[in-house]
Amino acid sequence: MKNYKEHRDSILVDMTLLGDERAFEELVKRHEKNVKGTAYKTTGNTFSAEDAAQDAFVSAWMCLDDLREKEKFGPWVCSIAKNHARTLVTHYYSTIPDVSFHLLEN
């Protein structure tokens, strides 16, 4: 059994690209807290941050071969999470009707 915790991110990225799904699981475990934290800074909501983080890891999985500097997987996936979080916030606010405060005054 391989000990994935001993490998650098760049090695885990290479292993993932070669089909080792457990290597990607280690990357997720390793960076999950920071990714959720990054998303939370944008959303201000735990549930939305978790959604954005999950979307970020799926996107990272699908685009992993686009990552040029494999040792920078952590910052890269955090930037993806930030973008997903912004999209969630934008979508959320676009679906809420605009409340006019003058209507509340009687």
Side-chain angles (χ1 to χ4, degrees):
M1 177 179 248
K2 296 177 183 175
N3 188 355
Y4 295 92
K5 292 180 182 181
E6 294 178 3
H7 295 298
R8 297 185 319 262
D9 284 358
S10 59
I11 300 298
L12 293 171
V13 168
D14 284 337
M15 292 169 70
T16 301
L17 290 170
L18 292 171
D20 190 339
E21 293 178 14
R22 293 170 89 200
F24 192 76
E25 289 174 16
E26 177 60 30
L27 286 167
V28 171
K29 287 179 195 174
R30 191 175 288 182
H31 297 285
E32 185 174 28
K33 185 176 180 180
N34 287 337
V35 170
K36 285 181 182 178
T38 298
Y40 183 82
K41 288 177 187 175
T42 301
T43 64
N45 176 293
T46 302
F47 297 111
S48 295
E50 289 175 355
D51 284 347
Q54 183 176 11
D55 291 345
F57 282 117
V58 170
S59 293
W61 171 270
M62 293 171 50
C63 298
L64 194 57
D65 57 343
D66 293 337
L67 178 60
R68 293 177 191 214
E69 297 179 69
K70 296 172 186 171
E71 66 279 0
K72 294 185 178 181
F73 176 84
W76 179 66
V77 75
C78 282
S79 69
I80 295 171
K82 187 175 185 177
N83 290 333
H84 279 288
R86 285 178 179 161
T87 300
L88 281 174
V89 169
T90 301
H91 178 73
Y92 175 76
Y93 283 113
S94 70
T95 59
I96 295 178
D98 188 21
V99 176
S100 210
F101 288 105
H102 77 277
L103 295 176
L104 299 175
E105 297 173 5
N106 286 334

